[in-house]
Amino acid sequence: MPFGLLKFGLSKGHPVPRALPAASELRDSYDVVIIGGGGHGLATAYYLARDWGITNVAVLEKGYVGGGNTGRNTTIIRSNYLTPEGVKFYDESVTLYKDLANDFDMNIMYSERGHFTLAHTDSAIRTMRWRAEVNKHMGIESELVMRDELQRMVPQLNYSEDVRYPIMGALYHAPGAIARHDAVAWGYGAGAARRGATIHQKTEVTGLEITKANGSPRRVTGVHTNRGTIRAGKVIQCVAGMSGEVARMAGFKLPIKTIPLQACVSQPLKPFLDAIVVSGSLHVYVSQSSRGELVMGGSTDPYGVYMTRSTLDFKEGLMMHMMELLPFIGEVKLLRQWAGMTDMTPDFAPIMGETPVDDYYIDAGWGTWGFKATPVVGKRNAEMLATGKVPDLIKPFALQRFHDFTLLGEKGAASVGH
Amino acid sequence: MKIMTCPLNGPRNISEFAYGGEVKELPAPGCDNETWVDYVYLQENLAGVVKEWWYHTPTAFWFIAERDTRTDTILKTYAASEVFKERVDFAAGDKE
Ligand SMILES: Cc1cc2nc3c(=O)[nH]c(=O)nc-3n(C[C@H](O)[C@H](O)[C@H](O)COP(=O)(O)OP(=O)(O)OC[C@H]3O[C@@H](n4cnc5c(N)ncnc54)[C@H](O)[C@@H]3O)c2cc1C
């Protein structure tokens, strides 16, 4: 082993080749400028290059790639949503995810675990049954399991009646999975860069150049950054928690509130929990990572801030309920705690497609549920930018729905379950 | 623990309070749909100093707070009556 290390250190294979090319100068002009180098922005660049041959593309990222919510989420991937529009959309994403490691030639550690959303009340059982029926109708593996069967499938939980919210059953979604989020960002970033797109880190968009007609915004023509101004054919914003601030640069308001979502992991334990367990009533969810850490989180903070600070209130609230589900956890130490700034919509569905400004597109409102959507978002954004037409699959998510009063009502399936 | 000063009850743990949305101008009765869209759905969502409704849950008291969302600091809190001095006649729109 020491010789292997020495040999590697002296060999030409060291340092290993970098996934992303070194920083380069900004060009004067790009066909497509993507604001935000999270999973969504990078995936958009990837499919633009791979599927449409569009490579005069810049991804502008104010920090480092994947440093936003893409690198902060708890990686739950599933498609058992409530609305037919949502189910169809997330199903395409799950299908793409299954092939992503091959696509990237990189292990994203996609791991199917089975996803259980616990029900502790009669009304929750009713909602689970409703979701299961919508899901089955759309061809998704999803079923209601009652307590005895659940106890055989997930014996690790506390099924005592002697708790505040005894477990009555669960919605079971066999394809529910987790993956390595950094690998998803790097895979998309490296794949996009290899095909000719340029990724500019430490490049913050500070303003937009928009032509005006009769005093109201018409068409986007350029982007101001901390490294100078560039001309752009089309622009799309994929900035999660900063959606409202960037849309303000484009001159329109969004139905979005920026609210932190916190999460934490325990010290590593021996593998004992294969399932992903979520409880809406208890506001908690937990899975065990491939390193053995319990990955835990809950609902968003009670109020919005533009910060990624951690709070004691979050930990206390979370652990109070976690101890009901897994009482032994009182003996376990926490290892890390962090937060991301999520872009929450009133109907818990995303906002995708056209905006009031021509050639300016939006990919926002991903709140606490957008990691699982990364592949389908990239693929459909790319199609939209390349063809100039909004794909049918994402039409229901238009910003216009708030002006037409056609909201989607995904809250029951997206709030704590993400 | 984060402390918020309630105009009625003094300094209390922030977990006793509920956030109630941005302070916005109430649309005039009988206004058009777009005005309602703006009022009901659209958000300033500012990274900076904001003015918001807050509620002290145990005493059912609504008030206004000014906060800086970049630093999570509460700048001031005061009773809603300092801003809203007149009763709103909600039935006025129906009468038109
Ligand atoms: C704790 C937590 C747990 C979550 N759990 C799940 C889960 O289990 N399953 C799930 O599906 N989803 C989950 N999510 C949601 C998911 O993480 C996000 O919806 C998704 O990652 C959004 O990806 P994105 O690429 O749009 O945003 P991000 O990854 O946040 O990328 C946006 C990027 O834009 C950059 N940016 C912002 N402003 C500018 C500017 N002016 N100029 C240039 N760049 C800018 C930011 O630096 C950032 O890197 C969770 C989120 C959090 C915070």
Side-chain angles (χ1 to χ4, degrees), chain A residues 39-40 61-62 69-70 73-74 76 205 368-372:
Chain A
H40 288 207
E61 165 53 53
K62 74 171 178 187
N69 291 354
T70 299
N73 68 80
T74 45
I76 296 173
V205 172
T368 65
W369 51 85
F371 175 68
K372 69 180 67 60

Side-chain angles (χ1 to χ4, degrees), chain A residues 405, chain B residues 25-40 92-94 96:
Chain A
F405 303 99
Chain B
E25 196 178 336
L26 191 69
C31 69
D32 63 5
N33 276 356
E34 269 311 304
T35 313
W36 279 119
V37 169
D38 193 275
Y39 182 70
V40 177
D94 300 338
E96 278 171 13

Side-chain angles (χ1 to χ4, degrees), chain A residues 32-49 57-61 64-73 75-77 81 89-90 93 96-97 100 104 181-189 192 197 199 235-243 256 341-343 345 348-353 361-385 394 397 418:
Chain A
V32 178
V33 168
I34 298 167
I35 311 174
H40 288 207
L42 296 168
T44 303
Y46 178 89
Y47 292 107
L48 271 174
V57 173
V59 180
L60 308 181
E61 165 53 53
Y64 57 95
V65 297
N69 291 354
T70 299
R72 296 165 186 271
N73 68 80
T75 81
I76 296 173
I77 298 166
Y81 277 71
F89 175 80
Y90 291 107
S93 212
L96 288 166
Y97 254 121
L100 216 49
F104 291 165
H181 43 31
D182 297 323
V184 172
W186 297 334
Y188 276 124
I199 295 159
V235 179
I236 184 166
Q237 67 166 82
C238 312
V239 292
M242 298 309 285
S243 294
I256 285 180
M341 295 187 293
T342 64
D343 38 341
T345 55
F348 287 70
I351 297 173
M352 298 181 77
Y361 297 85
I362 189 162
D363 169 53
W366 285 106
T368 65
W369 51 85
F371 175 68
K372 69 180 67 60
T374 307
V376 67
V377 161
K379 187 155 184 238
R380 297 304 180 165
N381 277 347
E383 179 185 341
M384 174 172 71
L385 292 162
I394 65 172
F397 308 129
H418 303 328

Side-chain angles (χ1 to χ4, degrees), chain B residues 35-85:
Chain B
T35 313
W36 279 119
V37 169
D38 193 275
Y39 182 70
V40 177
Y41 297 129
L42 303 187
Q43 306 280 344
E44 288 297 338
N45 195 21
L46 193 72
V49 176
V50 296
K51 202 199 253 190
E52 300 163 330
W53 286 104
W54 281 78
Y55 181 68
H56 185 246
T57 313
T59 58
F61 181 70
W62 283 103
F63 60 95
I64 295 173
E66 294 183 17
R67 297 190 298 128
D68 191 332
T69 58
R70 292 162 302 188
T71 54
D72 194 13
T73 41
I74 298 156
L75 303 172
K76 46 178 175 175
T77 55
Y78 43 91
S81 58
E82 286 186 27
V83 181
F84 297 92
K85 297 198 190 306

Side-chain angles (χ1 to χ4, degrees), chain A residues 241-245 248 253-259 302-307 309 311-313 316 346 399-405 407, chain B residues 1-2 13-15 17-19 21-22 24 33-34 36-38 41-48 52 54 67-72 74:
Chain A
M242 298 309 285
S243 294
E245 287 296 324
R248 205 187 318 281
K253 280 206 266 183
L254 294 173
I256 285 180
K257 287 249 25 134
T258 296
I259 308 182
Y303 60 95
V305 287
Y306 280 86
M307 291 175 83
R309 52 103 175 89
T311 66
L312 180 64
D313 294 35
E316 278 185 342
L399 176 57
Q400 185 62 29
R401 77 175 181 275
F402 294 94
H403 300 269
D404 299 338
F405 303 99
L407 273 61
Chain B
M1 284 296 157
K2 191 149 197 74
N13 187 338
I14 197 146
S15 62
F17 298 90
Y19 165 75
E22 295 171 357
K24 298 177 174 182
N33 276 356
E34 269 311 304
W36 279 119
V37 169
D38 193 275
Y41 297 129
L42 303 187
Q43 306 280 344
E44 288 297 338
N45 195 21
L46 193 72
E52 300 163 330
W54 281 78
R67 297 190 298 128
D68 191 332
T69 58
R70 292 162 302 188
T71 54
D72 194 13
I74 298 156

